[in-house]
């Protein structure tokens, strides 16, 4: 394998990468948007990702405005773009795919092969713009044999599974100044005694701090 | 009140400020040092604080070597020293005091008045070097009327209590590249919806990242 295996997520200061789960079919259902649980999920998710929405790269990638019109440039934008550009393939769990299948635009925002780890058998699903979803039933190692870097996109369980195998070379956390209190913790169920971390790089904007660590199995 | 109220703690990347509790009387008892729970506590605590032990200020303050001999200088040292120098008074909970009463040297490392929030009545306890412990039984606000900044030293419950009152102006977290898995979380039991945070300053060394936030009640 030529590339590195990494993940890059935004985490609340108290360690969560997602608000308390609501059923995927509710989160993006128009008639459920007034449900208190769904509203709380959306509010919390928006607070967590607030640094990303105004970035030029984000707006370009989702084709908001003309060529990212009105988007910010700076450290946050540079890091978001660099993360995207190094990624040759993405890996995600079934729950994240289920949520995204309803949330992504037709031109899904990956523009790489995406390996969905699932027990479900399904033919590859090709989207316009270079994203093809492959449904992988035989374990996670097979998804990693790529020329460029492989991003473990999420969710938390999939990231934890990869961390525990020792297959993650490094990871980046964008630490957001919000508290969740409840939700899905990034590092729950990772065995802390099997993983030694080194702080590799740090960069801060006025909004968030970007932290990169290398991981070694011990 | 003229000064600010702040706290400054080291936190593991997964959100803990202390390993799983062992009884204070065990942690520093010579005959309990081989107990697996005590050893794990010490190992984890040492990993968390590893950035601090080599600092020149830390060695000076605990009178290790001659005037901090052999200590490191740099960002970590500057920040540790600045935190100490701005502090006009310290506040701590009873459990932190109980642990420290056994762990601190005779010249306790505060060199300020220290207000211990407790139900126990006890006369002030003066130590050499300018530290006097005052045992406060009538709530936390009274401890805050100081000319210089007041540091809420800990433990977690005391910090959480002050955060929830809205009395904390700002706080600093030294984020260490270690995972605890279990222990005492810094932000457990803080109501996330009552607190709005802003990232104020970030500084990174090769060891850790120092994060400072301002807190506003909402």
């Amino acid at each position: 394998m030529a590339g590195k295996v990494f993940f890059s997520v935004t985490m609340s200061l108290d360690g969560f990468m997602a608000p308390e789960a609501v059923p995927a079919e509710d989160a993006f259902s128009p008639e459920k948007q007034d449900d208190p649980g769904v509203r709380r999920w959306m509010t919390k998710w928006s607070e967590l990702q607030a640094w990303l929405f105004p970035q030029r790269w984000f707006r370009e990638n989702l084709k908001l405005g003309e060529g990212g019109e009105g988007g910010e440039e700076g450290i946050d934008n540079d890091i978001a773009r660099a993360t995207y550009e190094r990624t040759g393939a993405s890996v995600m769990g079934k729950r994240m795919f289920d949520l995204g299948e309803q949330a992504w635009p037709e031109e899904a925002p990956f523009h790489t092969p995406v390996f969905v780890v699932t027990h479900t058998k399904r033919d590859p699903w090709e989207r316009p713009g270079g994203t093809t979803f492959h449904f992988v039933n035989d374990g996670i190692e097979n998804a990693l044999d790529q020329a460029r870097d492989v991003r473990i996109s999420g969710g938390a369980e999939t990231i934890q599974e990869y961390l525990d195998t020792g297959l993650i070379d490094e990871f980046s956390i964008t630490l957001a100044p919000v508290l969740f209190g409840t939700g899905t913790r990034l590092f729950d169920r990772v065995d802390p005694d099997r993983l030694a971390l080194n702080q590799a790089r740090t960069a801060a904007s006025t909004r968030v701090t970007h932290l990169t660590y290398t991981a070694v199995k011990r």
Side-chain angles (χ1 to χ4, degrees), chain A:
Chain A
M1 191 178 60
K4 285 189 178 170
V5 180
F6 76 104
F7 68 83
S8 177
V9 298
T10 303
M11 184 174 88
S12 71
L13 187 57
D14 55 348
F16 296 94
M17 63 172 272
E20 205 148 6
V22 289
E25 60 272 23
D26 290 358
F28 297 99
S29 150
E31 58 267 35
K32 290 288 177 71
Q33 296 308 301
D34 284 334
D35 179 272
V38 170
R39 284 176 65 176
R40 186 179 157 82
W41 193 96
M42 278 297 174
T43 303
K44 286 294 187 187
W45 179 254
S46 301
E47 283 180 12
L48 188 69
Q49 303 291 344
W51 71 276
L52 182 60
F53 301 143
Q55 302 308 319
R56 186 176 176 91
W57 169 80
F58 179 82
R59 296 179 57 82
E60 276 177 25
N61 195 38
L62 285 181
K63 300 198 188 309
L64 309 172
E66 287 284 328
E69 197 186 8
E72 287 183 15
E73 299 190 9
I75 290 173
D76 292 338
N77 189 58
D78 292 347
I79 287 177
R81 189 184 297 278
T83 301
Y84 170 76
E85 287 181 349
R86 70 183 281 198
T87 303
S90 306
V91 174
M92 69 181 61
K94 179 61 160 50
R95 273 200 294 273
M96 178 168 170
F97 173 78
D98 286 346
L99 208 60
E101 194 176 9
Q102 299 178 61
W104 298 313
E106 192 187 0
E107 187 173 326
F110 299 95
H111 312 288
T112 66
V114 177
F115 298 94
V116 182
V117 181
T118 175
H119 297 294
T120 309
K121 291 191 191 308
R122 178 168 163 181
D123 288 335
W125 186 42
E126 197 175 330
R127 309 306 294 150
T131 303
T132 301
F133 294 94
H134 302 272
F135 300 88
V136 179
N137 309 128
D138 54 356
I140 56 182
E141 277 84 353
N142 293 337
L144 300 183
D145 191 21
Q146 302 291 326
R148 282 202 293 160
D149 291 349
V150 175
R151 177 177 184 175
I152 312 300
S153 296
E157 269 186 48
T158 304
I159 288 174
Q160 289 155 13
E161 199 178 332
Y162 273 82
L163 271 174
D164 265 345
T165 61
L167 291 167
I168 302 271
D169 300 296
E170 62 164 62
F171 59 86
S172 295
I173 293 172
T174 299
L175 194 66
V178 296
L179 299 177
F180 269 25
T182 57
T184 305
R185 290 191 193 275
L186 174 55
F187 289 111
D188 253 7
R189 308 190 309 168
V190 172
D191 181 352
D193 297 328
R194 287 174 58 190
L195 212 58
L197 307 181
N198 275 297
Q199 180 174 289
R201 293 185 301 282
T202 304
S205 72
T206 56
R207 298 176 183 275
V208 288
T209 301
H210 302 275
L211 305 152
T212 299
Y213 299 90
T214 52
V216 179
K217 220 173 160 171
R218 63 177 175 187

